[in-house]
Structure formats: structure tokens, C-alpha cells
Amino acid sequence: MLEAFILITILSGFFGTIFKKNLVMKIMSMDVMSTGVVAYYVWVASRTGMFTPILAGQVDNESIKYADPVPQAVILTAIVIGFSIQALMLVGVMKLGKNNPTLESNEVEKNNTP
């Protein structure tokens, strides 16, 4: 069930990126798709266990299943990079918005083609 929600999130972001005409909505759709990808990797990391692999003292219980920390560390980096790319895209849209009356991609293309 969780996999279906993750897939729906990724696909809704993907189709929003393709079919939305407003540039801000395209950026938001890309963020939704990125959130789905992050959720997928967190889901993959938690398949082996749900506990964080941080030991507070000596734990002798071998039955505790820990989550894989490597995908979580990679995803933290991906979140930071995704946030910076999103901020850069929003600055680009702000620059386009100063010279164009609308942020519709078709109108921006018409106004900026020689």
C-alpha cells in the first residue's frame, strides 16, 4: 500500500512537470516528484528494520533489526542539493517575471524568441 502512494506521488509530480504551463507550478511539481523519490529510498532503507543504528550502551539483543543507514545518508545529501536547485530555479523564474507579464511557459517562449 505504501509503495502505491509513493508511486502515485512520483507520477503526479512527473505529469505535473509535463502538463502544467505555469513555471512556478512546474517547479512545485518537480518538488513533489523529488519528495516521492526520497520517500522511495527511505522505504527501501527501512525494509531491513525500523530502528536507527545508534547504540546507547551495550545492547545484547540480536533480534533488533536496524534500518540501513547508507540510503538515509545519501538522501540527506539529495534533500540539500534538491533544495538548492529549487531555490536557483525560483530565482530564475523571478528574473523571467520581471521581463514578462506572465509566467506561462508558452508566453515566455514567445516573448523571448528572436
Side-chain angles (χ1 to χ4, degrees), residues 26-49:
K26 283 184 180 278
I27 292 172
M28 297 306 289
S29 297
M30 289 176 71
D31 188 50
V32 168
M33 186 169 54
S34 171
T35 302
V37 171
V38 167
Y40 173 73
Y41 277 102
V42 169
W43 174 73
V44 167
S46 67
R47 285 179 21 187
T48 58

Side-chain angles (χ1 to χ4, degrees), residues 74-94:
V74 170
I75 287 304
L76 283 176
T77 305
I79 289 171
V80 171
I81 292 171
F83 179 73
S84 62
I85 289 173
Q86 185 179 9
L88 185 64
M89 287 190 298
L90 287 173
V91 168
V93 168
M94 283 176 47

